[in-house]
Amino acid sequence: YLSKSGLVGYSSPSNIAIIKYWGKTGVQIPLNPSLSFSLKHSVTETSVSYVLNPGQKDLCFNFYFEEGKSKKFEQKMEVFFNRVIDKFLWLHHYKLKIESKNTFPHSSGIASSASSYAAMALCLAKIHQQITGIKLSMEEISNIARLGSGSACRSVFGAWNTWGKFDMENSSNLNALNISQYVHPSFADIKDTILIVSKDKKEVSSTTGHQLMESHPYKTGRIQQANEHMLKLMEVLKNGDWNSFIEVAETEALSLHGLMMSSSPGYTLLLPNSLQIVQRIRKFREQNKIPVCFTIDAGPNIHVLYSASNKKQVREFIQKELLPYCENKSFINDELGSGPTEI
Ligand code: PMV
């Protein structure tokens, strides 16, 4: 062992998918390819200290989340560590202390699993390098993050990323692929205002949602739709066509929720206010000819997407017409970010 003790830390972003990963087989192998961009301000900061612990036989770690020790997160981390322990054999002999915090509110509806597991994977890779001298590639680190939460594999990179095998060279079900070099400048400064319609914990978890896709009556059609959207969106991102971007983004968001409603048992995560916002965005777009659209994750909150050049008008519209539909008028102004940083 090259290093007996040390301290590493990473800040990693959450990401928002335009083409949604929904349904998986095995350990986070996606049923369909997905495409997202990493956020700038919604991040998880994780630090890990490690020390050689002679005589230790098994995993040994303590997890501190924000102010306190969190049993729930510790259990999830244990599942994750057991999935990656064969890649990091030193985990059998080192004691870890993990501290983690999010810069965004816990109940904001922003998935913290993507940013948390991306930060954790980066920390483990750095420790691996310090202990063994072996530097893992970013693809390998993305693969490790995927074992925590599927969407996390897209959070180890900044800006625009795909995950899942589709008709593009080097695309893989095991790790994300950064596609920023293909993206037109008009999508390089995309803004995302997250409207918090409800802070309540969702009634059906994403894990259950993914499982329900296994026997979903529209499974084949959904896989086909996502693959077609990938090809279309790759073209759109290259040529900077906001109108086609809007079409794909909104179809994907509604399709995701349509799949939830039509699974067995079916369920709804959207709330009446979510639909009010959706309709108002469409009306504003038609009346003002300003390219602004929505996307929605597995919850009731609405992400409003627009380019930096329309920031002023869109924010005025949000302030006046959309915030009344949010819980305590809560929102987060976020935007495309450049990816994880070492802290
Ligand atoms: O990574 P998970 O298991 O939390 O699933 C994420 C699913 C969506 O957020 C709805 C879509 C996506 O691609 O991020």
Side-chain angles (χ1 to χ4, degrees):
Y1 296 131
L2 296 176
S3 172
K4 289 197 169 59
S5 66
L7 171 67
V8 302
Y10 275 90
S11 161
S12 280
S14 185
N15 69 74
I16 178 67
I18 306 302
I19 296 179
K20 311 288 181 183
Y21 148 55
W22 202 237
K24 59 182 171 182
T25 54
V27 184
Q28 258 85 264
I29 299 297
L31 286 186
N32 65 269
S34 56
L35 196 157
S36 65
F37 66 87
S38 294
L39 296 172
K40 186 173 186 173
H41 303 300
S42 305
V43 303
T44 298
E45 293 171 355
T46 300
S47 65
V48 184
S49 61
Y50 63 93
V51 58
L52 187 63
N53 188 24
Q56 178 182 316
K57 284 273 162 315
D58 219 342
L59 258 178
C60 180
F61 71 97
N62 282 304
F63 190 91
Y64 299 86
F65 186 70
E66 308 210 325
E67 283 90 40
K69 225 171 162 337
S70 165
K71 210 63 249 127
K72 196 179 117 222
F73 280 99
E74 199 158 69
Q75 281 163 355
K76 284 189 178 173
M77 272 299 157
E78 190 160 355
V79 174
F80 172 65
F81 280 137
N82 282 316
R83 283 179 184 167
V84 300
I85 201 160
D86 55 337
K87 297 182 202 292
F88 301 119
L89 290 172
W90 48 265
L91 275 172
H92 288 285
H93 310 293
Y94 280 80
K95 194 168 144 180
L96 306 184
K97 183 179 170 197
I98 306 158
E99 287 178 75
S100 195
K101 69 167 191 235
N102 298 333
T103 58
F104 47 95
H106 183 53
S107 51
S108 65
I110 300 175
S112 61
S113 59
S115 47
S116 306
Y117 286 111
M120 197 61 225
L122 285 158
C123 287
L124 288 176
K126 187 82 190 179
I127 299 174
H128 188 68
Q129 191 182 348
Q130 291 178 359
I131 292 178
T132 67
I134 299 166
K135 188 173 181 327
L136 299 182
S137 69
M138 286 310 286
E139 283 71 28
E140 285 168 300
I141 298 172
S142 173
N143 182 2
I144 289 155
R146 190 196 93 245
L147 297 172
S149 152
S151 56
C153 75
R154 300 186 309 240
S155 272
V156 303
F157 302 109
W160 292 92
N161 299 291
T162 65
W163 167 40
K165 187 82 199 137
F166 72 111
D167 197 6
M168 189 172 106
E169 216 188 327
N170 296 331
S171 63
S172 163
N173 281 337
L174 301 181
N175 57 265
L177 196 63
N178 186 265
I179 53 157
S180 302
Q181 74 268 31
Y182 304 116
V183 175
H184 191 274
S186 69
F187 291 115
D189 58 5
I190 188 167
K191 307 273 172 198
D192 177 7
T193 297
I194 306 153
L195 302 176
I196 317 296
V197 172
S198 167
K199 296 182 181 175
D200 294 349
K201 198 182 169 309
K202 43 184 181 191
E203 275 164 35
V204 183
S205 70
S206 291
T207 309
T208 306
H210 288 303
Q211 276 164 6
L212 288 170
M213 281 309 290
E214 260 314 296
S215 55
H216 199 289
Y218 305 148
K219 179 175 165 180
T220 314
R222 167 57 192 158
I223 294 171
Q224 195 187 331
Q225 180 192 44
N227 277 280
E228 285 167 9
H229 279 165
M230 287 297 285
L231 296 182
K232 189 163 176 201
L233 192 54
M234 286 298 297
E235 262 321 295
V236 166
L237 289 175
K238 277 181 204 161
N239 62 31
D241 173 3
W242 262 88
N243 290 335
S244 305
F245 176 83
I246 288 169
E247 207 179 295
V248 176
E250 295 193 348
T251 307
E252 273 292 314
L254 297 177
S255 195
L256 171 70
H257 285 267
L259 290 165
M260 295 174 196
M261 292 181 207
S262 52
S263 61
S264 197
Y267 61 102
T268 51
L269 295 181
L270 293 176
L271 294 171
N273 280 351
S274 318
L275 296 176
Q276 287 280 7
I277 292 172
V278 161
Q279 283 176 337
R280 278 175 186 265
I281 290 172
R282 289 185 155 177
K283 202 163 148 207
F284 173 82
R285 183 168 71 227
E286 263 165 45
Q287 286 176 344
N288 299 281
K289 306 283 175 253
I290 292 175
V292 49
C293 67
F294 61 84
T295 186
I296 320 173
D297 248 345
N301 302 322
I302 307 289
H303 292 245
V304 188
L305 306 176
Y306 49 98
S307 80
S309 57
N310 295 311
K311 180 174 147 182
K312 195 172 170 291
Q313 286 139 301
V314 174
R315 292 215 174 150
E316 272 170 22
F317 157 66
I318 290 173
Q319 178 78 30
K320 222 167 70 201
E321 290 195 45
L322 303 184
L323 290 192
Y325 296 107
C326 299
E327 185 169 340
N328 300 324
K329 300 200 169 183
S330 313
F331 69 98
I332 295 167
N333 275 330
D334 214 327
E335 60 190 283
L336 180 141
S338 55
T341 49
E342 207 172 335
I343 49 174

